[in-house]
Amino acid sequence: MERTHDQDVSVQVKHVQELSINGVEPPPRYIRKEKDNIDAPINTTTTLSSSIPIIDLHLLSSSSSQEKEKELEKLKSALTSWGIFQAIGHGVPSTLLDELQRTAKEFFDLPMEEKHKYSINFDGKQDWLQGYGNDLIVSEDQVIDWSDRLYLLVKPLDQRNYKLWPQYPTGFREILNEYSMKTHQAAEIILKNMAKLLVLEENYFVDLAADNAPTFARFNYYPPCSRPDLVYGIKPHADGGAITIVLPDKEVEGLQVLKDGQWIKVPIIPDALVVNVADQIEIMSNGEFKSPMHRVITNSEKQRISVAMFYVPEAEKYIAPAPELISEIKPMLFKKMKAEEYADMYFQHSIRGKRAIDFARV
Ligand SMILES: O=C(O)CCC(=O)C(=O)O
Ligand SMILES: [Fe+2]
């Protein structure tokens, strides 16, 4: 994964945090264009928000088969109709969630010079987009998200680039390490039960999170923005890996998911982790599980911080619909390709605001 990027990054942008401090109107390149909008109304009712499934991961490994079956049924409907759910009983201690949020905040609060030590473009080199930065700019007319990020490879362990793991705030490295181990266990439970639901071999999806498979942590920092009506925190997108586990901000909402043509707010549930299916599981499940479009809106008064863990299949692995899920009535919906080919495709299309998975269809 230590690939250097040969993309032209000559167009540099400021960190959003600096723009926000000056309180200026967002510059034109942050203003979304008509083509970036998905023409869907926002559903502001809490009824739909509160119908986003809540799954107790602990019950999925419970000894009572009745409880387990009930939770599995809920998981099935979460994955097939929403592609997103709130995970409780995930085994990550509440104190660790708080510590991770606190360290993330302390990192973004550091002076710019300190954060720049971990810059994506440090020394003019790009380490597969790892480090502190924001959207990679590939064209002059690209619309930029109102967020700064710290993006780090946390697995495979021997590929971690500790030069980009902040030394301050103290304890950052240990906390991220601990958090990544705990969320890995949650990811395994989810992936195992996904295979069960599709009557596939138990490890069919768990292997996607094997020791050699990459996991990335992305700390998202969304400063206040004077024009939430015009500027996205993250534009509408689907994630490109296998699954994503997000620790959302404890106090500030912002994440929305597209469901049946409407944007639905993902509500804050204390200590819950938001889990979403990403494109490569949609492909492998032959479209049974949905990789949902989601976006983050900005807030005029408050900053928001989230931490996303992306579980990504190993570069060399072939991704294709499971043969067991292909039949005369359900033909193969997606082409077979290497995970790294998909990753490249994802990168090229998503940066231009397009859905990569549409280019993988048969
Ligand atoms: O900030 C959030 O809640 C979600 C972030 C997200 O969608 C992402 O990092 O891909
Ligand atoms: Fe996302």
Side-chain angles (χ1 to χ4, degrees), residues 191-208:
L191 292 166
K192 269 202 176 137
N193 283 285
M194 280 177 157
K196 196 181 247 177
L197 285 171
L198 297 175
V199 204
L200 296 170
E201 188 268 312
E202 189 183 52
N203 291 327
Y204 199 85
F205 294 127
V206 167
D207 288 347
L208 297 176

Side-chain angles (χ1 to χ4, degrees), residues 218 234 237-239 244 246 255 276 294 308 310 346:
R218 183 157 83 178
I234 302 189
H237 69 284
D239 294 342
T244 306
V246 180
L255 178 61
N276 66 267
H294 53 286
F310 299 104
Y346 178 84

